[in-house]
Amino acid sequence: MPSFAADVKNALSRTDVDRACCQTAELAALLRMGASVQTDGARGAGLRFTAASAAVARRVIRLLRAMDGAIETSVAMERMPQLRRRTYIVNIAAGAAVTPLLAQLGFAGGSLRSTSDLALLRKKCCRAAYLRGAFLGGGSVNRPEAACHLEITARSEEMARALHTLLRRLHFPVGLTDRHEMYVVYLKEGDAVMDFLSLIGAEEAAEEIEVARNLKEVRAQVNRLVNVETANLQRAVDAAADQLAAIERLARSGRLAALPADLRETAEMRRAHPEISMAELAALCHISKSGMSHRLRKIRKASEEEQD
Ligand SMILES: [Zn+2]
């Protein structure tokens, strides 16, 4: 996981959620993203939640305790050498307290898949909390300097579709794709990524992205200006080269001396200053730019007549 995304999640894990309705919504989304039901014979259903970071594991425990202080939890760390990282497992022991909790979270019948979370999403505050839970459970976001991209990877297509629908209803330009048997809901537009982060409570991250985006825009603008100037300079150099070639042709054939005084003056000035622009040449000859343009056209025409 990129460190910017980890920082965002750590900050989100520390935010306070005061309303019970929002705690339930966030916890439900977190559990849908990373929990599986563990049935334990006579004791009934428990849950096993897998978190990518200690902060997220702590968040789940905190939300569980807020809902029901009697819930028993234990945490284990597992190393995943092939991914060079650790995961944190929160075990919620099977027992009498768990079943009503699961029902309250919308996991009717102990299943993590069968129920829709619509009941949890009636209020605006809860929708934001639900999305925060989903992001904490499976989200990632590019660092501000990179191209704007935020995604939530769900293990089930049902959860991915639910997130996709919810984000679309909130008018986010959201995409949905599958990748290695995972389902990815993503945002690619800078405004959408910033709005999403603000919505779920990661205002600082949204600001960092905005600052980086403004810098990128300034840089692009400077590059465009440099490109325009380079093109202008190239045009001026090409034009000066053409003028010098015409003047040399006239000089070689002896017709330069026969030109009117103003054209001779211009030709001498150009030979003396091959590198300057037409505007600078005009200033040296104390005439207007259009006057200089007119003289240069006459010189070119005279050199072309010479060739016939
Ligand atoms: Zn709420």
Side-chain angles (χ1 to χ4, degrees):
M1 183 165 56
S3 66
F4 178 69
D7 289 347
V8 174
K9 287 191 189 183
N10 283 340
L12 279 175
S13 296
R14 287 192 300 270
T15 57
D16 288 319
V17 184
D18 298 328
R19 296 186 195 190
C21 60
C22 297
Q23 290 172 349
T24 306
E26 184 181 327
L27 183 59
L30 266 163
L31 294 180
R32 287 224 197 287
M33 295 297 295
S36 53
V37 176
Q38 311 277 301
T39 41
D40 179 8
R43 298 189 69 205
L47 284 179
R48 177 190 156 92
F49 175 80
T50 309
S53 74
V56 172
R58 275 197 300 273
R59 180 75 166 182
V60 166
I61 293 169
R62 201 174 129 197
L63 290 168
L64 278 165
R65 295 226 171 107
M67 281 191 73
D68 184 342
I71 291 288
E72 273 179 62
T73 56
S74 63
V75 188
M77 194 191 77
E78 284 182 5
R79 285 178 195 282
M80 302 179 79
Q82 70 277 27
L83 295 175
R84 282 192 199 153
R85 64 169 203 212
R86 302 160 179 175
T87 56
Y88 297 81
I89 314 294
V90 180
N91 283 300
I92 300 149
V98 176
T99 311
L101 177 81
L102 293 186
Q104 202 185 337
L105 289 170
F107 298 112
S111 164
L112 283 174
R113 292 175 174 233
S114 57
T115 351
S116 112
D117 284 332
L118 285 177
L120 298 170
L121 300 174
R122 285 203 197 102
K123 285 191 274 179
K124 201 176 159 190
C125 60
C126 298
R127 286 179 214 135
Y130 191 84
L131 290 170
R132 179 169 55 247
F135 183 80
L136 283 171
S140 187
V141 59
N142 277 2
R143 64 200 165 81
E145 300 75 29
C148 277
H149 183 90
L150 183 146
E151 63 180 40
I152 299 174
T153 304
R155 291 176 308 168
S156 84
E157 187 174 358
E158 194 186 331
M159 182 60 180
R161 288 202 181 283
L163 290 171
H164 184 254
T165 304
L166 174 58
L167 285 167
R168 237 184 16 208
R169 286 201 184 131
L170 295 171
H171 309 292
F172 280 98
V174 59
L176 175 62
T177 184
D178 57 324
R179 185 194 297 157
H180 310 304
E181 294 173 27
M182 300 290 253
Y183 300 87
V184 184
V185 179
Y186 61 88
L187 300 170
K188 295 192 92 59
E189 288 171 27
D191 286 333
V193 170
M194 288 187 286
D195 288 348
F196 180 89
L197 290 171
S198 299
L199 177 70
I200 65 172
E203 287 90 356
E204 254 181 61
E207 271 168 38
E208 280 180 55
I209 289 176
E210 171 141 48
V211 168
R213 199 171 70 151
N214 289 343
L215 265 178
K216 272 186 250 174
E217 264 169 34
V218 168
R219 236 176 252 138
Q221 212 173 350
V222 168
N223 281 340
R224 271 196 299 277
L225 286 176
V226 168
N227 288 342
V228 166
E229 273 185 27
T230 306
N232 285 343
L233 188 61
Q234 187 62 52
R235 262 196 297 280
V237 168
D238 291 346
D242 286 348
Q243 292 153 17
L244 284 167
I247 292 163
E248 292 317 314
R249 275 198 299 275
L250 288 166
R252 271 200 308 275
S253 64
R255 283 202 55 195
L256 186 62
L259 289 179
D262 58 342
L263 298 189
R264 277 204 319 274
E265 178 204 24
T266 298
E268 290 314 320
M269 228 28 133
R270 176 46 96 193
R271 281 173 127 180
H273 304 282
E275 77 292 348
I276 64 176
S277 70
M278 192 176 73
E280 289 167 316
L281 198 60
L284 281 177
C285 295
H286 307 289
I287 59 168
S288 69
K289 231 177 116 179
S290 67
M292 179 50 71
S293 169
H294 186 66
R295 284 189 190 180
L296 289 169
R297 261 200 314 277
K298 277 195 190 160
I299 290 174
R300 202 176 54 232
K301 202 157 167 254
S303 83
E304 281 161 8
E305 282 164 5
E306 167 63 25
Q307 280 182 319
D308 291 338

